[in-house]
Amino acid sequence: MSAPAYRRGFEETVIAVILGLMTVVTFANVILRYVFNESLIWGLEVTLILFAWLVVFGISYGVRMTAHLGVDAITGMLAPRGRRVLVLIALTVCLAYAMLLMKGAWDYWAPYAGLWQTEGRWFPTGFDTGTRDRAFYVTDQVPMLGFLRFLEDWINMGEEYDKLPRVIPYAIMPIGVGLFLFRYIQVAIHIIRGQSDSLIVSHEMEEEVEAARIED
């Protein structure tokens, strides 16, 4: 499941940037509080938002890196053909789950962007034109950023935001889950082509035990 260098580095770079921002904001708040008796009133909320982005974004990264743990006791006893069948079944379940998450993520985020939620209990069957607009909801403390003022005309009927609208931090839901679904589609293509045969980390504990034994 190799990828060009620029693709390999994309998710790692974003995760590193998020971690860096969290560190900078937290460090700045500590210095301000204990040295200058001041604080960034929005610091904690920004850190929480960044942490949520880190977690959701990391899910798709785990899929791409085949880093999610699983049990391969049964598949390890099967012949290659039987193992492939079980992997395809598991992959189908994972894709269905990712699609369900995608619908839920969109339906949660859409009202904050002034958009419609989808109809249908499990999979989208259309758009609910009666969706209640929540574009006016803002964060508790995070100040509005000047370059995002265009959102006031786009989704808030020209009304000025005094704080950052929730549509921005909540955007990680459709973005992160969409990437999660995309990564599983990539995995499906690789498995169908015979370029991969697993969705999880395989024999990681055996390798760790063996490495420890060799070191001893």
Side-chain angles (χ1 to χ4, degrees), residues 64-198:
R64 187 175 74 83
M65 298 299 293
T66 321
H68 290 293
L69 300 179
V71 178
D72 61 353
I74 296 178
T75 57
M77 297 185 295
L78 298 176
R81 185 174 182 179
R83 188 182 306 119
R84 180 180 175 82
V85 170
L86 280 185
V87 169
L88 288 174
I89 292 174
L91 180 60
T92 301
V93 173
C94 289
L95 284 170
Y97 176 66
M99 286 188 283
L100 287 172
L101 281 181
M102 187 68 238
K103 172 177 166 53
W106 172 268
D107 287 347
Y108 186 87
W109 174 78
Y112 294 99
L115 301 173
W116 294 333
Q117 295 173 316
T118 61
E119 295 179 329
R121 183 176 179 82
W122 299 102
F123 297 99
T125 58
F127 286 101
D128 180 5
T129 57
T131 300
R132 187 170 73 89
D133 192 313
R134 297 176 185 170
F136 59 89
Y137 279 61
V138 296
T139 55
D140 293 333
Q141 302 292 345
V142 184
M144 181 60 178
L145 301 175
F147 72 91
L148 293 175
R149 289 290 177 187
F150 67 90
L151 292 175
E152 296 168 346
D153 292 326
W154 279 22
I155 65 175
N156 203 36
M157 296 181 289
E159 294 291 328
E160 183 175 321
Y161 284 117
D162 60 337
K163 296 289 191 299
L164 187 72
R166 294 190 184 185
V167 65
I168 299 300
Y170 290 175
I172 186 54
M173 300 187 71
I175 292 174
V177 175
L179 188 56
F180 177 62
L181 175 59
F182 172 70
R183 291 304 182 192
Y184 264 124
I185 293 173
Q186 280 188 320
V187 171
I189 293 173
H190 281 88
I191 289 177
I192 291 172
R193 290 177 175 176
Q195 297 171 326
S196 178
D197 62 355
S198 179

